[in-house]
């Protein structure tokens, strides 16, 4: 039986990180208590770096560049900023099966399906959480393997089997802002965006694709 769709909210402007994080955690707690419905928040933040629970100090290569926040999610350092869609996902895995691996796979499928609406082939890579695209327009790596760039990051946390944090997809961020960190601890691959790939995609276009693909990745009513 399909579940009811979550409540979608688009936060206006550039949402301050600390306040948004506190509101997201409060929302997740309310869902766990049965006092709120599942929720998806679509957000943009001002330029900042976040440190996940596995972050390493050496991977913050320019600590004075932007504010740095301890996120509490899984993963390492990541960047958020204008032109990047951050998607906070507050879903109740008590209703969806208490399977963290399956949940992360569903998030990846959601991103891959969303990118496919723009004819972008997003792919998983073993040992690297997130979604990647090959770059045949770029020189191959020294070992002969194709160049690959990361286009979407995933980092989640569960509390009482309700998820929070979520994912980010690069639409048109300033890619030079990623140079102040080693994104997700991966040094030998780059970062890209939909616009960097030559696609005139707007945030509104991406949001429509996210909403249309959600039901395919998660068991919800249309």
């Amino acid at each position: 039986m399909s579940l009811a769709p979550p409540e979608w909210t688009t936060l206006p402007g550039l949402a301050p990180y600390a306040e948004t994080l506190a509101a997201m955690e409060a929302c997740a707690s309310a869902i766990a208590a049965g006092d709120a419905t599942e929720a998806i928040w679509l957000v943009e933040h001002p330029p900042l770096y976040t440190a996940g629970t596995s972050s390493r100090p050496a991977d913050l290569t320019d600590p004075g560049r932007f504010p740095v926040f301890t996120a509490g999610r899984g993963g390492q350092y990541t960047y958020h900023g204008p032109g990047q869609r951050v998607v906070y996902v507050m879903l109740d895995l008590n209703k969806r099966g208490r399977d963290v691996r399956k949940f992360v796979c569903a998030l990846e499928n959601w991103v891959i399906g969303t990118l496919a609406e723009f004819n972008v082939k997003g792919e998983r890579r073993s040992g690297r959480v997130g979604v990647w695209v090959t770059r045949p327009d770029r020189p191959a790596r020294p070992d002969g393997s194709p160049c690959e760039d990361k286009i979407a990051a995933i980092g989640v946390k569960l509390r009482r089997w309700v998820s929070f944090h979520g994912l980010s997809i690069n639409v048109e961020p300033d890619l030079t802002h990623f140079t102040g960190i080693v994104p997700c601890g991966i040094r030998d691959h780059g970062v890209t965006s939909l616009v960097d790939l030559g696609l005139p995609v707007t945030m509104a276009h991406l949001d429509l694709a996210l909403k249309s693909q959600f039901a395919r990745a998660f068991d919800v009513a249309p």
Side-chain angles (χ1 to χ4, degrees):
M1 182 177 179
S2 294
L3 298 171
E7 180 180 349
W8 290 74
T9 301
T10 302
L11 275 65
L14 299 179
Y17 186 78
E19 291 88 339
T20 305
L21 191 68
M24 174 182 62
E25 293 200 19
C27 181
S29 295
I31 293 168
D35 296 329
T37 60
E38 295 181 311
I40 306 268
W41 292 359
L42 303 176
V43 182
E44 280 183 271
H45 287 302
L48 57 93
Y49 298 129
T50 68
T53 55
S54 302
S55 59
R56 297 172 293 197
D59 288 343
L60 181 61
T61 58
D62 191 357
R65 189 171 188 181
F66 297 125
V68 180
F69 294 89
T70 300
R73 53 158 175 80
Q76 301 184 40
Y77 279 105
T78 192
Y79 165 78
H80 294 320
Q84 181 193 71
R85 175 53 85 209
V86 177
V87 186
Y88 289 130
V89 183
M90 289 152 279
L91 298 180
D92 188 352
L93 271 63
N94 293 292
K95 300 176 181 178
R96 299 173 177 275
R98 296 181 176 185
D99 188 328
V100 178
R101 187 181 299 272
K102 180 180 177 182
F103 175 61
V104 173
C105 183
L107 290 173
E108 291 173 335
N109 286 339
W110 185 21
V111 173
I112 290 168
T114 297
L115 295 175
E117 292 209 10
F118 306 105
N119 296 315
V120 173
K121 185 179 181 182
E123 298 177 304
R124 295 181 179 86
R125 288 292 180 265
S126 177
R128 292 189 252 143
V129 176
V131 178
W132 300 78
V133 294
T134 57
R135 299 299 303 269
D137 56 317
R138 301 273 178 90
R141 298 176 62 208
D143 63 1
S145 61
C147 176
E148 297 178 339
D149 285 340
K150 191 170 191 176
I151 195 167
I154 294 173
V156 297
K157 186 172 182 178
L158 299 176
R159 183 177 296 154
R160 295 171 62 187
W161 289 101
V162 174
S163 69
F164 52 110
H165 295 281
L167 59 92
S168 60
I169 301 175
N170 297 329
V171 179
E172 193 180 8
D174 185 337
L175 295 178
T176 67
H177 288 180
F178 286 88
T179 60
I181 56 171
V182 179
C184 301
I186 298 169
R187 296 179 180 274
D188 55 352
H189 294 283
V191 179
T192 190
S193 69
L194 288 165
V195 171
D196 183 53
L197 294 173
L199 300 168
V201 178
T202 68
M203 200 68 73
H205 293 145
L206 181 73
D207 290 349
L208 288 173
L210 283 165
K211 291 176 181 178
S212 71
Q213 289 294 322
F214 182 81
R216 297 186 182 185
F218 297 90
D219 185 23
V220 299

